[in-house]
Amino acid sequence: MCAITGWHRPDFPARCDRETLLRHLIRKAQPFGDKSFGLATDLPGKDALVKYVGMPSQWLAQNSRDIGRFAKAQTLIAHARYPTQGDVVRRNCHPFKVGDWLMAHNGTLRAERLMLRSSFVPAGETDSEAAGCWLATHGFSTASLEELEGTFAIAAMSKDGAQFVLAVDEVTSLFVARIGEGILWHKSGEALESSLRAVGIQAEVQALRSQVLRFPGGRGERLDRSSNLFGARHDA
C-alpha cells in the first residue's frame, strides 16, 4: 500500500498556516508507505520534483527549513511509498516525470501491455511509471484511464500546474475536500479531516469513487468500464 496526498489551488484562508498543514498531510501518509517519499509542485527549478529514499518523517526532519517554500505551491502532489514492484531506489520513487506531466499513483497495475503502445518509456521498474507512460501519451484522458488494469488512485499535473487530474477506481481509498474552487486529498479521510482541523479549516471530506476530477473546470467524470478488472489489493 502507498498514499498520495496534496492540493490543487485551494482558496486557503489568509491566516492559514500552510506549512503546518503540509507537515500534517505528509506525516499522516507515512503509515501507508515508509520506504520512500516524493513531491511534485508547480514551483520552479529544483522544487518542482523531489525524490527521497527513506521515511517521509526523515525527509521532513532533514528539510525543515524548506517546508515553508514548498507550502507556497499552488499545486502539490506528495507520495509515500511501500513498494511492490521495483527496488527502493531513487528512480522508482514517485512522483514520476513523463513528458509534460508529473504523476503519482497508489495501487497495483498491469501496465506493460499499455506501455508498449506509449510514446514514452519508463526510467525505472514500477507498474506506476509504466502506466504513466501510457497516460501521458494521451494527456491523462478519461479514455486512457479506463484502459488501466488493476487498482489506482492517481494524481497528475502538467509541469506548469495549469492542468490537473485526480482519478480513482471503485475500490481504492481516496478522500477529498473542496476549499473554494480548489481541492485537497488524502488516502485517509481521518488524516485529511484532522490536518484541516489543525489549521482551523472546516470542510466536508468525501470519499471519491470511480471518478475523474479534471481542472480547469473541476467537474467530476464517472469512469465507465464494460468489465470489472479490479482486485482488492491496494499496493503501489
Side-chain angles (χ1 to χ4, degrees):
M1 94 178 68
C2 298
I4 57 171
T5 186
W7 61 63
H8 176 69
R9 300 187 181 275
D11 298 324
F12 287 125
R15 295 184 179 180
C16 175
D17 185 345
R18 294 168 64 147
E19 180 177 337
T20 294
L21 176 59
L22 181 56
R23 288 181 181 275
H24 272 257
L25 293 173
I26 291 173
R27 183 60 183 83
K28 290 172 181 177
Q30 183 166 305
F32 305 101
D34 61 0
K35 302 305 181 186
S36 69
F37 171 74
L39 275 176
T41 76
D42 60 351
L43 297 171
K46 66 178 182 179
D47 294 337
L49 183 61
V50 171
K51 291 174 177 279
Y52 177 80
V53 176
M55 296 182 180
S57 59
Q58 293 173 334
W59 183 85
L60 285 169
Q62 294 173 18
N63 295 274
S64 59
R65 296 182 179 179
D66 301 319
I67 302 301
R69 189 170 72 249
F70 287 106
K72 294 178 181 178
Q74 292 299 302
T75 302
L76 181 148
I77 299 170
H79 183 276
R81 184 181 184 225
Y82 185 87
T84 59
Q85 294 186 31
D87 294 337
V88 182
V89 293
R90 192 175 183 276
R91 67 178 176 274
N92 289 330
C93 297
H94 302 226
F96 300 104
K97 179 182 178 296
V98 185
D100 292 329
W101 290 85
L102 298 161
M103 62 87 67
H105 161 248
N106 169 38
T108 300
L109 294 169
R110 298 174 290 279
E112 290 299 314
R113 176 182 60 85
L114 294 174
M115 187 269 290
L116 295 177
R117 298 153 50 195
S118 304
S119 300
F120 307 98
V121 294
E125 297 79 43
T126 66
D127 56 327
S128 305
E129 189 182 13
C133 291
W134 164 258
L135 295 169
T137 298
H138 299 280
F140 283 79
S141 67
T142 302
S144 65
L145 287 159
E146 288 170 353
E147 293 209 38
L148 296 180
E149 298 180 15
T151 57
F152 65 86
I154 292 171
M157 59 179 285
S158 58
K159 288 190 296 186
D160 60 2
Q163 299 182 70
F164 177 78
V165 176
L166 191 66
V168 65
D169 65 39
E170 60 265 39
V171 297
T172 305
S173 296
L174 193 67
F175 295 84
V176 298
R178 294 270 188 171
I179 308 293
E181 295 298 315
I183 193 170
L184 292 89
W185 66 92
H186 202 286
K187 179 181 179 70
S188 164
E190 291 179 334
L192 184 53
E193 288 177 350
S194 62
S195 297
L196 291 170
R197 189 167 60 246
V199 293
I201 295 178
Q202 293 185 347
E204 182 181 4
V205 173
Q206 297 180 317
L208 202 64
R209 290 285 185 271
S210 300
Q211 200 164 358
V212 181
L213 298 181
R214 196 177 302 280
F215 296 81
R219 185 169 61 87
E221 304 172 65
R222 299 296 294 183
L223 286 168
D224 182 18
R225 295 183 182 81
S226 58
S227 62
N228 181 16
L229 298 170
F230 296 88
R233 292 184 62 189
H234 292 76
D235 303 324

